[in-house]
Amino acid sequence: MRVMLLAPGLDVHTNRFLTWLEKAGCEVIFVDKVKPKNLDPSCSRFVKYPSGLPGTGRRLARLDDWARYLHLHYLWRRFRPDVVNLHNVCDERQYDCLRGRLRPLILSCWGADINRLFVPGADPLSRICTGRVLRFADHVFADAMDVLENCRVLAGRPVPSSLLYFGINTDLFRPDYTEAAKAWRHALAIPQNARVLLSVRAWRWLYRHELILEAFALARARLPFPTVLVFKRYNPLPTPGEDKVYEEDIRVKAQSLGVQNCVRWLDRVPYDQMPAIYSLADLVVNFPCRDGFPVSFIEAAACGKRVVTNHLPAYEGVGLENFFGMVANHSTEQLGRAIAEALMEQPESVSAKAQLARQWAVTYGDEKKCIEHLLTVYGRLAKRYNRGNSRKGAASSCLRS
């Protein structure tokens, strides 16, 4: 299976998806402005995304667009992929795929890309253009039902679609990391009798770490034992230095709340060590203002960990309420109360929810099952367009040229 993959080369979701395809034996033509660090040249090829005409400026913007999508069409004809998969439907790449008539075209929505068109002040023209792309697409993947519903609204009609989580290796993410967790507790100077609250979402204002800090301070006042909040720095803000300003603001807030000595800061952790970080935690906390479906939910559940979170549309309809704590609104007071109640829960209840969470993750979030579904859709569309049979033998040499 030859896949032309258009995705942000620096994004962690892109890296994981690329690894999926390579592990599944696919030939990948990766098209972007940036080459992913994990691209395997033995089975994949990087092609720089067309940039249009040099020096055209605003006056010749249409000519620039024309040159860009024609170049993309040329790449599609040159490599003759079985399928084209565009990730993150939010910029000119989606329009280039439409105007270049790249088929079969699969769109992988990341949540924020589609949901941004439903916030107050969203650009009406962007809604119209994205709707056209959705109508043109042969299949749409998303990891939340509300995103798929928003796709239908934008398209103005039903679109061929299905749920596809960014699944994980549930053999790696599992509950059995007790010794490694003890080592992390020692490294972070966390007292043995302290409970641990863990925040792992991206280091951006969207995920409202400052409100998590406020709720943590409220919860501590209710608890009869010491509690520590661990902030894991992840995916810093794109503007240089902005993430440092954000962190400094949170450090100042922690001091004003009197909890600065109860907060730990965790730098980047190798992915294969993340299960131990979850094992360290008694509870995971999540509180974004809007969201798709977080991979961290699947990771935490696979490790048998509960999550306390606000209740967003993207989290509905998959049974999370059976083992996660869902706060009905965006109240930090209610989040603080929910954190305290979860940390005070009886061991028997905690154990039962841990088992439910693990079972859910294995059933819905295992990457083997997700890859199987992905390849099934790829194969069906490639067969419909007869792509595999139409490729010339010489096209295979393009990977080596």
Side-chain angles (χ1 to χ4, degrees), residues 1-45:
M1 175 74 66
R2 180 173 295 166
V3 181
M4 178 176 278
L5 180 60
L6 291 81
L10 292 177
D11 197 279
V12 64
H13 294 316
T14 295
N15 295 339
R16 295 183 64 234
F17 193 87
L18 175 60
T19 298
W20 274 15
L21 295 181
E22 291 176 342
K23 286 170 60 177
C26 295
E27 297 179 23
V28 181
I29 312 298
F30 192 94
V31 185
D32 190 52
K33 296 176 182 178
V34 180
K35 180 180 178 180
K37 292 182 179 179
N38 65 321
L39 184 139
D40 182 353
S42 69
C43 57
S44 302
R45 177 185 177 122

Side-chain angles (χ1 to χ4, degrees), residues 46-231:
F46 172 71
V47 179
K48 197 168 183 63
Y49 196 90
S51 57
L53 298 175
T56 52
R58 279 188 171 183
R59 293 183 179 180
L60 297 177
R62 287 189 178 182
L63 183 61
D64 182 74
D65 289 346
W66 175 78
R68 193 179 61 241
Y69 77 73
L70 281 184
H71 189 184
L72 185 61
H73 180 82
Y74 159 75
L75 292 175
W76 174 70
R77 290 184 63 84
R78 176 189 175 191
F79 292 110
R80 303 297 291 172
D82 297 308
V83 295
V84 179
N85 196 167
L86 169 66
H87 280 242
N88 202 16
V89 186
C90 66
D91 55 25
E92 73 274 0
R93 299 174 309 144
Q94 61 173 328
Y95 312 131
D96 291 345
C97 289
L98 170 63
R99 291 176 294 190
R101 314 305 290 178
L102 275 57
R103 304 204 91 150
L105 178 63
I106 296 125
L107 304 179
S108 292
C109 303
W110 288 10
D113 49 358
I114 297 298
N115 292 341
R116 71 187 171 89
L117 299 173
F118 289 83
V119 299
D123 181 15
L125 182 58
S126 293
R127 288 175 59 98
I128 293 171
C129 293
T130 301
R132 288 182 58 202
V133 177
L134 288 164
R135 289 193 295 272
F136 176 77
D138 295 283
H139 197 87
V140 176
F141 287 128
D143 58 6
M145 291 302 300
D146 73 314
V147 176
L148 294 180
E149 173 59 19
N150 285 342
C151 288
R152 185 197 66 77
V153 172
L154 290 170
R157 68 186 189 200
V159 295
S161 62
S162 60
L163 282 175
L164 180 69
Y165 292 126
F166 279 103
I168 63 167
N169 180 351
T170 55
D171 292 329
L172 173 66
F173 284 85
R174 62 182 194 275
D176 310 321
Y177 287 87
T178 305
E179 293 304 315
K182 287 180 180 178
W184 275 108
R185 179 179 282 266
H186 177 74
L188 292 170
I190 298 174
Q192 290 301 314
N193 63 334
R195 305 291 174 88
V196 178
L197 183 67
L198 175 66
S199 173
V200 298
R201 299 303 301 276
W203 200 240
R204 298 176 182 175
W205 67 267
L206 176 69
Y207 299 103
R208 304 193 299 189
H209 301 289
E210 70 281 3
L211 299 188
I212 289 175
L213 183 65
E214 289 181 17
F216 167 68
L218 292 171
R220 285 188 74 251
R222 296 171 176 266
L223 294 169
F225 41 73
T227 309
V228 169
L229 170 60
V230 176
F231 278 129

